[in-house]
Amino acid sequence: MRKMLAVALGVLTAIGGFVDIGDLVTNAVVGSRFGMSLVWVVVVGVVGICLFASMAGRVAAVSGRATFEIIRERLGPRAAGANLVASFAINLLTLTAEIGGITLALHLASSVEPRLWIPVAALAVWLVLWRVKFQVLENVAGLMGLLLVGFAVALFLLGPDWGELLRQAVPPSAPGNEHPAAYWYYAVALFGAAMTPYEVFFFSSGAVEERWTSKDLATNRLNVMVGFPLGGLLSVAIAACAAVVLLPAGIEVSSLSQIVLPVAQAGGVLLLAVVIVGIVAATFGAALETALSSGYTMAQYLGWSWGKFRRPARAARFHVTMIVAVLLAVGILMTSVDPIAVTEMSVVFSAVALPLTYVPILVVANDPEYMGEHVNGRVMNALGGVYLLIVVVAAVAAVPLMIATGAGS
Amino acid sequence: MTDRGTRGEVRLVDARLHLLSRQVLDSDGEPVRTVDDLELAGPDGGEARAGQEAHVSAILVGPALALRLFGGRAPTSRLPHIAWEDVGHLGTAIELTVPSDGLDADWVEHWLRDRLVGRIPGGRRDPEAGS
Amino acid sequence: MTISTGGRRVAAGAVALAVGLAGAGCTVASRQEPGQATAAVADALAEAGSAAETTRLTVELLDQGRVTGPVADTALLDQLRVLDDAESALTTLVPPDAASSGHRAAGLTAVGDVSDVVVSAREWVAARSGGDLDDAVAVPADADELLAELGAVTAAVDAALAEAGGR
């Protein structure tokens, strides 16, 4: 019974933890402009993150080592250092977007200016990082994020023409009034949003924090294989809500307030409140994960002591790194940059950075020195090879597409 | 380079593969640093010279990494180093026989701990001991 | 002496990232070709149309009690920002010929009209949420009046958009 509960909890947190500000914004923008025609990207992305996260979890559980330690051991200090700089920068961008997302959601709830919320949100993030136990932090954020299920409820209440939605989704094609380059630009952005690299750092380091061993592999696989696809369904529901309400009205999403309008139309104030709390929780949870990831990557590359399971004083450099990352994010937001713009930037650069984390994980998961009998099987490697190709193509295409389309406009 | 294992036999160790970029743990199993570079010394303990026998005299950390990545030279005596005599065991990580608290090479951690992190309320609280 | 004191450059990745970030910021609204100028007008009008529709949806929802005051206010504020962007895209445009100059002028008028309605919609939201605006003449009496105004400006935007060859 206890075990069942633990498994259910793991699955639920994986669902709630899947959606962050990147998924939220990108799916809504895509839904309002391209209808359901990019749903296939979410599917590809979800399969990818399942593959990727289960590999990272397995590596961490079997070898007891987190991703970046291994990246440095394998690639040497130079290549791993370049990787660290890029990963850290994108992680910081994502952290900025998440904290910005918290402030936008709080603005919706209170109509107090987002800039006043920035220090409050950042302080709350730091306090949780400082004091709260890892398991509690992970579970509470994940469970609260489940409130985003309100988008799925809203979709059903809207009572859309399901046949029409399906026709938009298969076979996928760009709506006539949109340029194909913009379509592909958003395909890459959506892929980056679904597969954000920080999830891998967080997942593998989290496995070490929770002292996973090979015995936990089955639980790990279940969490990922059930939780993430259900989280992906939430993403699709967000896109569908936008496609049903905003697309026919000719509304192009450029702010968080537009994203929640379909929910208000479907479920009124109550459902709206549920979803806003869900957004605060999801972005808050993701802010914790990205802040931790910035500490994890830096500490693992340089061999510092790290982890929430240590007293802060026994992992001083790790905690200082996180504090610095949060302060940098606050600094960026204080320039009154639009958090939505930061978010769109962060998902595209996530796509650019994907090979940096993906390739080493794939290599190590095949290395018997670390993995013993738990090396990748043939199916895993076949899938891994296919995704290697997709990830590299997306990464190479991202920046040219961004320049060609003027960031999708 | 050779390392006398617990059973007394000689094991071959590849410095680049098994030492560089490996995690260093102190006697309590706490991470200290990653091996950023190694200091070599000649048979008499002086400067190592080409063509002569040399041995590892210390693990270098910190600024040694920047020197390796970007080039340049610094007197090795100035670089934070961990004496090779303190190394106890070579596994997937390098285990020391001394606690990190006594290591000069770990001064950044100690400084941050004493001056900053340890002074913030809750900084020395054990997170696992209830919430 | 140390193993591998020689160092090489590691900054390639960082430089590529910086170049990418810099490139992403470079989308300038002022375009020179006549066709491009008209397209820029159409882009700005499409944004204004989206803002007008968002305002309509928000006003309808608030009138039905389906959305809270703060959310409605924020939604309208966000639309004012969008309209600001659209307007500055139009004002900074250098029209290369008479036709695109005409499109720009019509577009500016349409965008300005939408902004006016969104501003009064925000006042209406504030009044509904208990603001002390009863005496203000400019505040529309009810949602229907606002929606009628919105319909008029939306039609103007659509007309200007059709003129500029937009969607």
Side-chain angles (χ1 to χ4, degrees):
Chain A
M1 191 62 211
R2 260 187 94 91
K3 186 139 195 184
M4 286 284 287
L5 266 177
V7 169
L9 189 67
V11 170
L12 289 177
T13 49
I15 302 173
F18 182 83
V19 176
D20 69 341
I21 187 77
D23 294 283
L24 195 64
V25 169
T26 320
N27 277 289
V29 170
V30 162
S32 75
R33 283 183 60 176
F34 302 93
M36 302 301 281
S37 61
L38 279 166
V39 164
W40 63 271
V41 180
V42 177
V43 176
V44 173
V46 166
V47 174
I49 189 75
C50 284
L51 193 74
F52 206 5
S54 67
M55 252 193 267
R58 186 154 45 94
V59 168
V62 173
S63 68
R65 321 277 302 276
T67 318
F68 234 94
E69 269 176 72
I70 299 181
I71 290 181
R72 174 158 177 194
E73 249 180 57
R74 287 261 118 186
L75 302 184
R78 205 161 287 138
N83 192 336
L84 174 74
V85 170
S87 298
F88 194 86
I90 286 154
N91 209 10
L92 186 64
L93 205 61
T94 315
L95 173 63
T96 310
E98 306 292 353
I99 296 183
I102 305 174
T103 64
L104 289 182
L106 289 173
H107 181 207
L108 279 184
S110 67
S111 84
V112 172
E113 227 218 304
R115 261 222 269 181
L116 296 177
W117 281 118
I118 297 170
V120 179
L123 187 67
V125 167
W126 173 73
L127 271 177
V128 172
L129 290 173
W130 186 253
R131 292 222 57 139
V132 178
K133 211 168 132 180
F134 184 82
Q135 277 89 344
V136 177
L137 162 166
E138 194 190 18
N139 293 338
V140 171
L143 291 179
M144 297 277 284
L146 270 184
L147 292 177
L148 288 179
V149 101
F151 277 103
V153 175
L155 183 61
F156 279 97
L157 290 177
L158 284 169
D161 180 354
W162 298 101
E164 167 59 22
L165 285 182
L166 198 65
R167 261 192 301 286
Q168 288 176 8
V170 272
S173 64
N177 55 1
E178 293 283 0
H179 197 275
Y183 180 81
W184 286 105
Y185 172 72
Y186 277 105
V188 168
L190 209 49
F191 186 66
M195 288 194 66
T196 25
Y198 80 83
E199 305 216 22
V200 171
F201 300 132
F202 180 73
F203 219 74
S204 73
S205 308
V208 177
E209 294 253 27
E210 295 184 323
R211 300 192 181 85
W212 283 10
T213 61
S214 1
K215 283 188 205 123
D216 299 303
L217 283 180
T219 325
N220 162 34
R221 201 167 299 147
L222 194 70
N223 286 354
V224 168
M225 298 296 172
V226 179
F228 283 174
L230 289 175
L233 272 185
L234 281 186
S235 294
V236 173
I238 294 167
C241 280
V244 170
V245 175
L246 305 180
L247 177 67
I251 296 175
E252 283 181 19
V253 168
S254 62
S255 59
L256 192 65
S257 54
Q258 288 167 315
I259 298 174
V260 299
L261 285 181
V263 177
Q265 177 166 343
V269 172
L270 185 65
L271 195 59
L272 182 65
V274 168
V275 162
I276 290 177
V277 174
I279 294 176
V280 173
T283 48
F284 195 86
L288 295 176
E289 293 180 3
T290 42
L292 281 167
S293 295
S294 63
Y296 289 148
T297 48
M298 191 72 99
Q300 288 163 9
Y301 175 82
L302 290 166
W304 300 341
S305 60
W306 55 271
K308 282 284 300 148
F309 60 91
R310 293 193 164 90
R311 295 162 204 268
R314 303 303 301 187
R317 289 167 292 193
F318 169 69
H319 272 275
V320 169
T321 308
M322 292 197 293
I323 292 172
V324 169
V326 171
L327 286 178
L328 282 174
V330 168
I332 296 173
L333 286 172
M334 279 300 187
T335 63
S336 57
V337 61
D338 178 14
I340 300 286
V342 178
T343 305
E344 292 185 340
M345 198 74 80
S346 78
V347 293
V348 174
F349 280 100
S350 292
V352 177
L354 269 176
L356 295 179
T357 38
Y358 186 79
V359 174
I361 286 281
L362 190 63
V363 171
V364 172
N366 274 301
D367 188 333
E369 198 191 325
Y370 293 101
M371 300 300 290
E373 54 176 320
H374 294 285
V375 286
N376 270 357
R378 219 174 275 165
V379 181
M380 265 303 209
N381 272 337
L383 271 173
V386 172
Y387 269 88
L388 183 64
L389 194 69
I390 300 176
V391 160
V392 169
V393 168
V396 171
V399 171
L401 277 174
M402 182 181 231
I403 293 167
T405 61
S409 62
Chain B
M1 167 191 329
T2 56
D3 169 43
R4 228 161 266 283
T6 41
R7 276 167 292 167
E9 82 273 36
V10 172
R11 182 164 68 101
L12 273 177
V13 175
D14 182 323
R16 195 169 266 284
L17 210 57
H18 294 111
L19 295 177
L20 285 178
S21 288
R22 290 278 170 162
Q23 178 75 54
V24 180
L25 303 175
D26 78 350
S27 54
D28 303 320
E30 288 286 299
V32 180
R33 281 295 304 234
T34 305
V35 179
D36 289 326
D37 213 339
L38 296 169
E39 187 184 54
L40 297 183
D44 49 353
E47 185 93 338
R49 280 175 222 291
Q52 283 183 12
E53 193 186 329
H55 65 272
V56 174
S57 58
I59 293 169
L60 300 177
V61 296
L65 179 66
L67 293 180
R68 244 180 105 191
L69 295 183
F70 300 109
R73 271 168 137 341
T76 45
S77 57
R78 295 275 188 84
L79 296 171
H81 54 285
I82 300 165
W84 191 253
E85 292 90 80
D86 292 338
V87 173
H89 176 73
L90 297 181
T92 46
I94 296 168
E95 290 158 33
L96 303 180
T97 52
V98 291
S100 83
D101 293 342
L103 285 174
D104 285 344
D106 216 13
W107 66 271
V108 182
E109 173 83 9
H110 303 152
W111 191 85
L112 287 174
R113 178 183 304 162
D114 297 337
R115 297 295 171 93
L116 184 66
V117 173
R119 292 193 179 181
I120 303 173
R124 295 184 188 274
R125 193 176 124 274
D126 185 0
E128 306 279 90
S131 56
Chain C
M1 173 176 146
T2 62
I3 290 189
S4 75
T5 26
R8 267 150 262 158
R9 272 145 226 98
V10 71
V15 170
L17 187 71
V19 170
L21 281 170
C26 300
T27 50
V28 184
S30 63
R31 308 181 195 183
Q32 297 301 315
E33 298 285 311
Q36 283 184 333
T38 308
V41 173
D43 279 352
L45 282 168
E47 284 178 29
S50 160
E53 284 295 328
T54 309
T55 308
R56 179 190 56 76
L57 185 59
T58 310
V59 169
E60 281 174 6
L61 290 176
L62 186 64
D63 192 42
Q64 296 161 9
R66 291 181 159 265
V67 72
T68 58
V71 174
D73 183 64
T74 310
L76 297 182
L77 182 62
D78 289 334
Q79 298 325 304
L80 285 175
R81 246 175 243 135
V82 170
L83 290 165
D84 229 21
D85 287 348
E87 191 172 347
S88 73
L90 289 175
T91 48
T92 53
L93 189 72
V94 184
D97 60 357
S100 52
S101 176
H103 295 151
R104 194 261 293 269
L108 264 178
T109 317
V111 172
D113 290 348
V114 176
S115 300
D116 290 345
V117 180
V118 177
V119 167
S120 60
R122 252 190 118 207
E123 285 184 338
W124 174 74
V125 170
R128 261 190 68 112
S129 313
D132 188 19
L133 287 165
D134 291 338
D135 306 331
V137 194
V139 179
D142 57 12
D144 291 337
E145 191 185 327
L146 257 177
L147 290 173
E149 282 178 35
L150 265 173
V153 294
T154 308
V157 168
D158 286 345
L161 192 54
E163 192 82 353
R167 296 157 238 164

